[in-house]
Amino acid sequence: MSGTFESFGRIRRHERRAIDPSSAMEALRVGRCEPAGLLAFGNGRSYGDSCHNDAGSLIAMQRGAQIYAFDPITGIVDADAGVTLAELIEYAAPYGFFLAVTPGTRFVTLGGAVANDVHGKNHHKRGTFGCHVESFELLRSDGKTHHCTVTQNPHLYAATIGGMGLTGVILRLRMKLIKVNSLDIEQHVTPFANLSEYFDLADAADEENEFAVAWVDQLATGRFEGRGVLITGNHADNGNFSAKRSRLPLRVPFDLPFSALNRTTLGLFNSAYFNVNKRKNSPHLANYESFFYPLDSIEHWNRLYGPAGLYQHQCIIPFDAARSVIPAMLAASRDAGQASFLTVLKRFGDVRSPGLMSFPQPGYTLTMDFPNRGEAILRLLDRLDRMTVEAGGRINPYKDQRMSPAAFEAGFPEWRQLERLRDPAFVSDFWRRTALALGADAAAPMAQYARGHA
């Protein structure tokens, strides 16, 4: 089969080869893989090229995916990797369970959530998605299905969580959900006048709440510079477990011939968003969709960026540098004349992931996204990369489309260990342009590493 199999950033749009899961499994089990390699493809919510393998083939993982079992006592679910978070939420909600960790969209697959070790608004409490994965079945090109846990095949377990699909294909997994008293969230909205005020609030917000995230007006200058709203929340106690969509989603039905997001439109939006939110009563009840997945209510919202697509830049800045570096990054974006539609700031805690290449580490994570305006935006993104690396931070690989090999290595020196455990039949465009560009000879052969760590 073929199709665009786009990433969410839609920077490089063209036909891509894909095969169905059953054909891929058969080929892997008999060692008949194509030379250009394979890569599992979930639902295309990664922003960059970590979900692409343009020289080889993708495996369309959603086909035929199902949930096999759920224990309403322990909250452990057994499901195919191609099941989406949305499907799992609807399945488990009537039993009073919800995801321990969820990213900002529910339209990612379980396999994609593991491969990217996604995080949410409660990293300070529960860490990453991988912290709640008990086991998974990993099929590799040696023809074997490897059962992976913390104690069984532990190196493959660690390399696969956050390993961007490079260690093989996750067939199914067992993970633990959490018991909640409602899907609804008791939400507080606290306006802040500047980033210094936000940083003063952030520690206490994390200590007192399950969820915390800040929206920042990236375009504000003068006395409004650094303003935003801190949104915190906890599961309510009203016993509402309805996971059905509360309304029909809005939809961007076609590609706009230009980007609708520019300094003028975003300036108006930011002012309206700030003023509406600062007037909200706190606390107030929010349904889980609007709290966790506000943009899921607009289908194909990425089309608003126009036919050239969008770049998202997400980085982590360590605690000791955040108060100076993050304001400087926002100023650099304004000085470059670039307007970020979505500017989000979150505080990561010290809950360690079991994954080898997990993105979160203690500090603050800043996310900005920009319409693709060619060389101008690429120069800005390179500058943001340099500021991140100089501060001792790192750039999120599964949000990236263009970081240099040097910037990747500076943030993820663990890449060599992943390369040693990478299945030789699996590769991505991201890995080719970063890790492999650094030199495959920097990593010992996979088989040699496996024997040495058996």
Side-chain angles (χ1 to χ4, degrees), residues 189-417:
V189 178
T190 305
F192 52 86
N194 51 60
L195 287 175
S196 180
E197 188 175 321
Y198 162 74
F199 288 123
D200 290 342
L201 294 168
D203 285 2
D206 279 4
E207 184 68 28
E208 297 166 7
N209 298 280
E210 175 78 15
F211 307 106
V213 64
W215 169 87
V216 180
D217 184 351
Q218 175 252 346
L219 291 177
T221 58
R223 66 189 181 92
F224 299 116
E225 184 175 346
R227 71 177 178 178
V229 290
L230 174 61
I231 302 168
T232 57
N234 299 280
H235 282 281
D237 293 318
N238 63 358
N240 178 22
F241 296 109
S242 174
K244 299 297 182 182
R245 283 199 174 195
S246 58
R247 60 189 179 280
L248 291 175
L250 301 173
R251 190 168 188 268
V252 182
F254 52 83
D255 287 318
L256 300 179
F258 55 87
S259 173
L261 306 174
N262 53 52
R263 289 180 71 89
T264 301
T265 59
L266 290 182
L268 293 171
F269 171 82
N270 286 355
S271 293
Y273 186 87
F274 178 79
N275 288 314
V276 166
N277 276 278
K278 77 176 184 179
R279 295 189 185 101
K280 284 186 177 180
N281 295 324
S282 286
H284 64 271
L285 208 60
N287 66 58
Y288 83 98
E289 295 169 292
S290 64
F291 186 82
F292 293 111
Y293 316 115
L295 288 175
D296 280 356
S297 63
I298 308 173
E299 289 187 13
H300 304 300
W301 64 266
N302 53 346
R303 291 176 176 172
L304 293 171
Y305 287 82
L310 71 124
Y311 287 103
Q312 185 169 102
H313 190 277
Q314 183 176 24
C315 64
I316 295 170
I317 304 299
F319 288 128
D320 58 357
R323 283 179 179 260
S324 60
V325 174
I326 288 176
M329 296 179 86
L330 296 177
S333 302
R334 289 194 302 272
D335 293 345
Q338 303 298 331
S340 166
F341 168 54
L342 189 67
T343 304
V344 173
L345 194 53
K346 288 183 288 194
R347 184 182 182 277
F348 283 155
D350 56 5
V351 181
R352 290 183 62 86
S353 166
L356 174 65
M357 289 276 291
S358 182
F359 166 66
Q361 62 184 19
Y364 288 91
T365 178
L366 174 67
T367 303
M368 294 187 282
D369 53 22
F370 304 97
N372 177 14
R373 295 197 173 100
E375 287 301 316
I377 190 63
L378 292 175
R379 285 194 298 271
L380 169 62
L381 294 172
D382 285 344
R383 183 179 179 187
L384 296 177
D385 285 357
R386 289 194 298 273
M387 296 172 79
T388 300
V389 170
E390 288 169 3
R394 54 173 42 162
I395 301 119
N396 192 341
Y398 60 86
K399 299 291 185 71
D400 175 68
Q401 181 79 51
R402 30 60 49 204
M403 83 164 99
S404 69
F408 171 65
E409 183 173 40
F412 293 90
E414 309 91 343
W415 75 266
R416 289 174 175 80
Q417 297 174 59

Side-chain angles (χ1 to χ4, degrees), residues 65-92:
Q66 59 184 303
I67 298 171
Y68 296 102
F70 176 70
D71 187 333
I73 304 300
T74 64
I76 294 176
V77 63
D78 180 358
D80 282 328
V83 170
T84 65
L85 299 188
E87 292 166 336
L88 182 54
I89 291 168
E90 290 193 12
Y91 185 95

